[in-house]
Amino acid sequence: MIDLYTAPTPNGWKVSVALEELALPYNVYPVDLTRGEQKTEAYLGLNPNARIPTIVDRANGDFAVFESGAILVYLAEQTGRLMPADAKGRSLVMQWLMFQMGGIGPMMGQANVFYRYFPEKIQPAIDRYHHESRRLFEVLDRRLGEGEWLAADYSIADIANWCWVRTYKWSGVSIEGLPHLRRWMDAMKARPACRRGVEVPFKVESALKDEKAARDFIELAQRNVQR
Ligand SMILES: N[C@@H](CCC(=O)N[C@@H](CS)C(=O)NCC(=O)O)C(=O)O
């Protein structure tokens, strides 16, 4: 049994989607980021970075894993699924997983900060993160023009990238003119496990459709970016 500490954000969804795909039983512990629950001493004992997600593997001596990419690799290795074991196949998955961890996630995250949350509108910073996110989307599009999935088969790399890319409207990054990316996003959304995973720890309306949720979220994010 896995304990999952999470919140309704892209990094959290990566893990709940993977757990759903693997059909592993798990307990969900929602972490209320608005109340700073990620900064309590108890939580820091599991995740020294004070962020979600975190898992604790009860079946493996209560082993705690933080960093969403490391959690995905751990789950794939424990189950022997969503990542091949041979060196080249594994490397291909790791390449596209690291592409998300070091590129898509940080760039879209910073686009959100400067486009949505920062009190001052600093246009060069907004442009920088919008352009870089769009460039990374084009890299994904080209790759997905060569095959159905990012690596040889459906893998944790697809899960990691999709959980971020699906929030492109909130980041203000266009997917216009990227047909392969669109096809892949539709294929991901058609997977029942993906649809269930993005409703963990609870279903949230897109902040773009729910003004109050958007205001609350922006207020929290503004407090965070100022610290
Ligand atoms: N590199 C980390 C990033 C985790 C992260 O930034 N999580 C955000 C939610 S998506 C968070 O916990 N934010 C709370 C805060 O900033 O205090 C990972 O991939 O696990």
Side-chain angles (χ1 to χ4, degrees):
M1 183 64 98
I2 302 271
D3 289 349
L4 168 64
Y5 294 82
T6 194
T9 73
N11 287 321
W13 294 326
K14 287 188 238 172
V15 178
S16 41
V17 167
L19 287 164
E20 291 290 334
E21 287 287 4
L22 295 166
L24 289 174
Y26 63 105
N27 298 312
V28 179
Y29 295 93
V31 178
D32 188 343
L33 303 178
T34 63
R35 291 159 54 105
E37 287 177 1
Q38 71 278 28
K39 295 181 181 150
T40 61
E41 277 308 311
Y43 188 75
L44 287 173
L46 302 175
N47 185 329
N49 194 30
R51 298 280 188 272
I52 64 91
T54 305
I55 62 163
V56 177
D57 189 350
R58 296 284 170 210
N60 194 9
D62 291 350
F63 186 61
V65 189
F66 76 104
E67 279 297 320
S68 56
I71 298 171
L72 293 179
V73 172
Y74 178 82
L75 293 174
E77 287 181 341
Q78 289 290 309
T79 55
R81 293 173 51 206
L82 296 176
M83 182 172 68
D86 70 287
K88 282 187 187 169
R90 185 176 188 279
S91 171
L92 211 48
V93 170
M94 293 296 267
Q95 289 169 49
W96 289 103
L97 177 64
M98 295 304 153
F99 174 86
Q100 183 282 306
M101 292 298 294
I104 293 279
M107 292 305 120
M108 290 182 74
Q110 292 305 310
N112 292 344
V113 166
F114 287 103
Y115 180 58
R116 295 276 179 198
Y117 313 144
F118 220 63
E120 300 86 32
K121 292 293 162 224
I122 306 168
Q123 201 56 47
I126 296 172
D127 292 346
R128 153 81 187 148
Y129 293 113
H130 276 167
H131 290 156
E132 185 58 7
S133 301
R134 169 70 194 199
R135 189 189 68 78
L136 295 171
F137 283 10
E138 289 169 8
V139 175
L140 287 176
D141 186 64
R142 180 176 297 201
R143 172 67 185 165
L144 291 163
E146 297 165 353
E148 191 178 357
W149 306 111
L150 289 171
D153 289 312
Y154 179 66
S155 73
I156 51 174
D158 296 291
I159 294 172
N161 281 279
W162 176 68
C163 287
W164 271 97
V165 175
R166 67 188 288 275
T167 66
Y168 68 94
K169 285 187 190 152
W170 182 250
S171 304
V173 185
S174 165
I175 59 160
E176 275 296 302
L178 303 177
H180 308 297
L181 187 71
R182 178 85 264 175
R183 188 262 310 147
W184 169 82
M185 285 176 69
D186 291 344
M188 293 295 294
K189 198 174 165 190
R191 296 180 74 91
C194 288
R195 289 206 302 276
R196 286 195 303 273
V198 295
E199 292 187 359
V200 175
F202 41 78
K203 187 173 162 67
V204 281
E205 207 40 80
S206 157
L208 289 165
K209 290 189 199 144
D210 181 340
E211 266 181 42
K212 182 178 174 327
R215 265 200 317 276
D216 289 353
F217 196 67
I218 288 173
E219 210 182 288
L220 159 76
Q222 284 186 338
R223 283 205 304 273
N224 278 346
V225 295
Q226 280 161 357
R227 271 186 232 132

